[in-house]
Amino acid sequence: MATPGVPASTLRARNGPRPKSRARQVLTWVVTLAVVGLVVIWAWGKLHAAPAAKLITAKVSVGDLVETVSASGSVTAQTGAEVHIGSQISGTIKRLATDVGSHVKAGQLIAELDLPDLRDQLRASQAALAQAQTKYAQEISGVNQVNTQTSASLNVARQAVLSARQKLSVAQANAKQQNAQTPSDIRKAETALSTARSTLAQTQAGANLQVTTAQEAVTQAQANATNSAANLARYQKLYAEGFVAKADLDSAVAQNGVYQSQVRAAQQNVDLVKQKVAADLQAARDSVGSAEAALAAAKAETQTVLARAADV
């Protein structure tokens, strides 16, 4: 709207500078915000910056610097590479069938060798062959002599057969007798051993009973002697107090002496019983040992049976 009393051209001149002032204000704000943003970013980075790495130091010295180069590729044979061909047998080359650079196939002749060693071996083999042929001829010529010797050997062998048959008859008779006798001897020895062992067991049981009985007699005699000694002490006290006569005291003394003698006798009897038992046990053990030896001897006859069978 136009202001009253003011020309339109004047209005345009007065209102013209206002947009430029606003642009400067906007620019100022933008610059200010950019500076503030940079300051904020710098401060954040300063606060969150990673700690500086620790420096490693070393003394300066002279050394070698090694550089390694790695590469990949393929290795091919050089053009015209040579193939060396050799012989397993030493000798002098007599003739070459091929030349350098020639193409050959498997089994193709390459060269001929002059081999004097092989020739020597051939001559030696031929000489050995001739010697063997000569020996063969000699063997053929000696056949008649061998036949004569063989006939004599056959006669000797026939005589040996007759002698061997006689020995066979004797060996069979001995083996038959031994086969019948050995089992019987073994059975007898086993029976004797069983009897000896039973006797030993009975002797052992009886020995234990005898020793136990003798020891019980000692125990009984000791008990009687203890009672007699107590009774004697009681009579001695009563006699000292005047309650019993001297005859009663003498009777108690005599009775105590009898019981003490019974203890000694019972102990001596235990020793005698132990000696007798030991002798009986030893005799029973000896019987068992003899029976075992007899059984072993009977079983050893089995070896004789085998020997007779070997003779047969």
Side-chain angles (χ1 to χ4, degrees):
M1 180 181 295
T3 302
V6 180
S9 60
T10 304
L11 292 174
R12 288 195 294 272
R14 292 176 62 183
N15 296 330
R18 292 181 180 176
K20 184 180 292 186
S21 176
R22 291 179 180 176
R24 283 197 299 268
Q25 292 178 358
V26 173
L27 180 60
T28 302
W29 280 106
V30 171
V31 171
T32 303
L33 292 175
V35 171
V36 171
L38 291 175
V39 171
V40 171
I41 292 172
W42 176 83
W44 185 88
K46 196 70 175 177
L47 293 175
H48 296 81
K54 185 178 180 181
L55 297 179
I56 300 175
T57 61
K59 187 182 291 185
V60 178
S61 61
V62 179
D64 296 333
L65 179 61
V66 180
E67 294 183 358
T68 303
V69 177
S70 300
S72 60
S74 60
V75 179
T76 58
Q78 183 181 359
T79 303
E82 295 182 356
V83 178
H84 298 280
I85 300 175
S87 174
Q88 296 181 354
I89 304 175
S90 62
T92 304
I93 297 176
K94 185 177 180 181
R95 183 176 68 86
L96 284 175
T98 59
D99 198 358
V100 178
S102 299
H103 294 280
V104 295
K105 298 180 180 179
Q108 181 179 344
L109 178 63
I110 297 176
E112 293 182 3
L113 299 178
D114 184 14
L115 304 173
D117 294 339
L118 292 181
R119 285 198 301 271
D120 294 339
Q121 293 179 6
L122 176 60
R123 286 193 292 270
S125 299
Q126 290 173 347
L129 175 61
Q131 184 179 1
Q133 290 174 345
T134 301
K135 185 175 181 181
Y136 174 73
Q138 293 175 354
E139 293 293 338
I140 291 298
S141 63
V143 168
N144 294 330
Q145 183 180 359
V146 172
N147 288 335
T148 302
Q149 294 176 353
T150 301
S151 298
S153 299
L154 284 174
N155 292 329
V156 174
R158 291 189 184 97
Q159 296 297 326
V161 168
L162 293 177
S163 176
R165 285 177 177 173
Q166 293 175 356
K167 292 181 179 179
L168 174 61
S169 300
V170 174
Q172 287 176 339
N174 293 333
K176 183 176 180 181
Q177 180 181 2
Q178 192 68 39
N179 289 334
Q181 182 178 356
T182 299
S184 176
D185 293 341
I186 291 176
R187 287 193 296 271
K188 290 179 181 179
E190 289 175 346
T191 302
L193 177 60
S194 178
T195 302
R197 287 176 176 173
S198 299
T199 302
L200 176 61
Q202 294 175 359
T203 303
Q204 182 69 53
N208 295 334
L209 178 61
Q210 292 176 16
V211 172
T212 301
T213 303
Q215 290 177 345
E216 289 178 353
V218 171
T219 302
Q220 183 64 40
Q222 289 176 343
N224 294 334
T226 301
N227 293 332
S228 175
N231 187 46
L232 176 61
R234 183 171 61 84
Y235 269 92
Q236 288 175 345
K237 183 178 180 181
L238 292 175
Y239 176 76
E241 295 176 354
F243 292 106
V244 294
K246 182 69 169 53
D248 295 334
L249 177 61
D250 294 339
S251 176
V253 171
Q255 186 178 11
N256 181 63
V258 170
Y259 283 129
Q260 296 297 332
S261 298
Q262 290 179 354
V263 170
R264 290 191 294 270
Q267 290 176 343
Q268 291 176 357
N269 184 52
V270 168
D271 295 336
L272 293 175
V273 168
K274 288 182 178 179
Q275 293 176 2
K276 179 179 179 301
V277 165
D280 294 341
L281 287 175
Q282 186 61 42
R285 293 190 185 97
D286 293 340
S287 298
V288 172
S290 299
E292 289 176 346
L295 178 59
K299 290 182 177 179
E301 293 179 359
T302 305
Q303 300 298 326
T304 305
V305 172
L306 296 177
R308 297 290 172 83
D311 291 340
V312 172

